[in-house]
Structures are given as structure tokens and as C-alpha cells.
Amino acid sequence: MRNFKVFACVIALVFCGTINSLQAQTNGTKYLRGDVNEDNQINILDVMSVVDIIYNGQPTIITVTTAEVTDIIDYSAVCGGNVTDNGGMDVLARGVCWSTVENPTVADNITSDGSGLGEFTSTMTGLTGSTTYYVRAYAINNADTAYGEQKVFTTDNSYNYQIVDLGLPSGTLWADRNIGATAPEGYGDYYAWGETHTKAVYTESNYDPLGDGYNGYDYIGTNIQGTQYDVAYVQTGGEWKMPSITQIEEIIYNCEWEWTTLNGENGYMVTGPNGNTCFFPAADGLSDKEDIDTYYGFYWSGTWDEDYMDHALGLFFYSQIRYRGSTYKYYGQPIRAVKN
């Protein structure tokens, strides 16, 4: 004999279906409990209003705990969890969910971190600086979605970019340093075009927008400035953005560029029409190579290359020249943010 419980719709109809020619209907949010005899016929024992699923005589409630939140910066944090009991049914999905309101669910922001029992690690990205978040681990089987205890954390506000007004015709304001850099001469972090997280290596095979689109790339827009794919916009809660190619061309053609060093780092000191300056280090770019050539600089814009679906545009330079260039989207390159 197998105990079971069936539950579904709410208010007027909770469960409406046929199992071995037996139809059941209840009012309100109720749950049916019964058993199955040797002829696979169902006997309804009672109607319940608590979620306590029983299958093969064992509770199918999942047990999952939430890990402590670590590595908190302005735009990301690391959490995770541990599924210690699957409730007698396979765990199909697990991860963490988070929100700026308490008791987040899988309807909010989530990570997807595999299946089954055991520990897992989750990286939450796209967070906003100086913001309080609530996070819980979750696990899902065919009968239940379970949550771990809630953890609370507050992101840093470490970007602290200084505004540089170069006196440009458009009024565009530039940040004084690259995203992730702690000083103007710092290289900062590297990003593939349209991604908002860093990686150890940048290859076509691990590029997020790799999909079923033209030339194997998903279409995410001709200009990702100010969208969910703009790492500057995501990290700063919309305060800063990636530059468009038009803004990069403006700084190329309206400013003086002098190849120099700043605190031992090669790069260009850019002087605007009003005499203010901004330093761009020669931070090169990353693909499947490990070495950085400190005589080259490559900076993403938010604009794709209309001639090549797998390319995007940006600022390219070396000691003798600077120009608008194009390269593969999966390459890791630094980003210098702007304010319009």
C-alpha cells in the first residue's frame, strides 16, 4: 500500500484530473490523501490543508541549507548551499535566489547550479552597490520547491569613479579609471562584449551570447549601452554606462593624445579642449593567451560591428596611433565608463 497526496489548483478547484478513472475535486486550497491498493485503485482517506507530501511512505520534503555570503563587492557576491535530503525524489534544480525584499523565491533573481544532493557554490552578479539583499538557497524536485534559511548582505560601493569633464562638444563625462581599477593607471577587469562577469580565460566556447543566431551568436542588440548587457550600467545601478562608438570617436578626434607613463604604466594621457586630462593605460586585451602586451590598448564600446555579427567596436591604440577598431566579441577587454 502506498500513501500519497495530490495537490494542484486553488480556490474553486484544487485537483482536477483522472487517476485510474477516479476524479477528485475540492474547494479552497486543499490536499487529498489516500492509498493505492493492489489493483492500483485510489481510496481517498481525507482532505488536508497542509503541505506534507507523502510518497512510498516517506516525506518528500527537501532539506536544503544556505551558505554564508562571501566575496561581497559592489556588483557581485558568492553564496551557495547544501542539499542534504532529496525527500525520496531526484533534485532537478538547485541554486540561490535573491531580492531586495525579504524571503526571495525562484520567481526573483536566481542562479542555476546543477542538480542532485550535495554542496554547491553560486555567484550572484548584476548587483547594485550600497544595496541590501536577501538570499536563500533553493532546491526543486517533482513535488516540492524548498528553501534554505535567509541570509542578508549589503554590497560595497567600491567603484567610486571620479568624473573627468574634458570639455567635449556632447558634454560626455568620462570616468578617471577602468572598471575594476583602483587607480587611473590600473588595468582593471576584463570583459567579453555583453558579459557582466570576469573569467580566467576568454574563448569563443565560453562566451555567454554564443547561441543559434547568425554565425553562432545570439543577437543582444546593436548598442548595448544602458542595458542588462552593459557591465558599467549593471555594476553602478545605471549611474555609469559603456561608451558608444560615437563617444569614443569624439574623444579620439577632439582631444590631444600623448604617449607616456603614469606610475610606471604605459598609456595615453588624453587632454580635452578645456585642458582637463584623463589617462588610458595600455591594458591590451585577453583571449586564450596569458601575457599582456603593455604597448597596446583595447577598450570596448557598447556598439556592435554591423559588418560582422561576431565583432564589436571599440577604442584601439598603440604608441603611434589610436583609432576606432573592431574585434571578436568573446575577447576580454577593459571598459572605461561614461556619463551622458
Side-chain angles (χ1 to χ4, degrees):
M1 196 77 72
R2 290 182 296 163
N3 285 335
F4 74 99
K5 193 177 296 174
V6 181
F7 62 98
C9 316
V10 295
I11 307 305
L13 188 61
V14 168
F15 170 70
C16 47
T18 302
I19 301 178
N20 294 337
S21 300
L22 176 66
Q23 291 186 335
Q25 176 174 329
T26 66
N27 293 323
T29 303
K30 302 296 182 183
Y31 304 88
L32 308 180
R33 186 173 68 177
D35 54 39
V36 182
N37 61 27
E38 289 77 4
D39 297 323
N40 286 324
Q41 298 299 310
I42 296 175
N43 298 314
I44 301 299
L45 300 179
D46 55 17
V47 178
M48 304 183 69
S49 58
V50 295
V51 181
D52 184 21
I53 316 303
I54 303 296
Y55 181 78
N56 285 338
Q58 298 295 324
T60 62
I61 296 176
I62 306 171
T63 302
V64 56
T65 59
T66 307
E68 296 298 323
V69 184
T70 62
D71 298 333
I72 303 168
I73 57 176
D74 50 352
Y75 60 90
S76 68
V78 175
C79 189
N82 188 11
V83 182
T84 58
D85 190 336
N86 64 9
M89 303 177 72
D90 290 340
V91 173
L92 305 177
R94 65 189 190 182
V96 299
C97 53
W98 72 93
S99 175
T100 55
V101 297
E102 295 191 42
N103 298 316
T105 71
V106 291
D108 297 306
N109 303 290
I110 67 168
T111 65
S112 297
D113 301 299
S115 59
L117 293 169
E119 296 181 353
F120 58 90
T121 300
S122 310
T123 301
M124 297 172 283
T125 60
L127 308 179
T128 301
S130 300
T131 302
T132 298
Y133 288 93
Y134 303 89
V135 58
R136 297 194 292 178
Y138 73 87
I140 300 173
N141 64 19
N142 278 328
D144 188 23
T145 297
Y147 297 96
E149 65 276 27
Q150 178 174 272
K151 305 291 185 180
V152 184
F153 67 98
T154 300
T155 50
D156 293 336
N157 186 16
S158 61
Y159 56 86
N160 287 329
Y161 308 131
Q162 301 299 310
I163 296 173
V164 179
D165 181 0
L166 295 169
L168 297 167
S170 69
T172 296
L173 306 174
W174 286 80
D176 71 327
R177 66 197 68 187
N178 295 345
I179 290 179
T182 57
E185 70 274 13
Y187 297 166
D189 295 325
Y190 294 78
Y191 299 91
W193 193 80
E195 292 184 350
T196 58
H197 57 90
T198 61
K199 296 183 288 193
V201 66
Y202 294 80
T203 65
E204 189 170 30
S205 62
N206 70 7
Y207 181 52
D208 284 354
L210 191 68
D212 300 325
Y214 178 73
N215 278 358
Y217 285 79
D218 288 338
Y219 176 77
I220 61 174
T222 58
N223 183 4
I224 61 172
Q225 185 185 56
T227 72
Q228 62 180 316
Y229 304 106
D230 178 345
V231 62
Y233 181 84
V234 170
Q235 286 190 15
T236 65
E239 184 177 351
W240 294 84
K241 299 177 183 178
M242 295 173 68
S244 67
I245 196 59
T246 300
Q247 289 169 317
I248 284 178
E249 290 174 333
E250 181 183 47
I251 198 175
I252 291 175
Y253 298 120
N254 288 273
C255 296
E256 297 293 329
W257 292 65
E258 178 186 5
W259 184 259
T260 185
T261 60
L262 180 64
N263 295 324
E265 298 294 343
N266 293 333
Y268 270 105
M269 186 65 72
V270 179
T271 302
N274 63 3
N276 290 338
T277 60
C278 188
F279 185 74
F280 284 78
D284 199 4
L286 298 177
S287 55
D288 54 358
K289 65 178 182 178
E290 296 181 358
D291 296 332
I292 294 177
D293 189 332
T294 60
Y295 287 90
Y296 293 88
F298 304 98
Y299 288 77
W300 283 127
S301 78
T303 310
W304 78 329
D305 187 338
E306 295 180 357
D307 296 325
Y308 302 96
M309 182 68 175
D310 54 359
H311 281 55
L313 302 174
L315 166 65
F316 287 25
F317 63 72
Y318 57 95
S319 59
Q320 302 299 319
I321 195 171
R322 53 273 173 198
Y323 59 97
R324 156 187 161 151
S326 174
T327 193
Y328 289 105
K329 295 176 179 177
Y330 68 83
Y331 282 1
Q333 297 186 170
I335 294 170
R336 182 65 63 92
V338 298
K339 286 188 175 186
N340 296 328

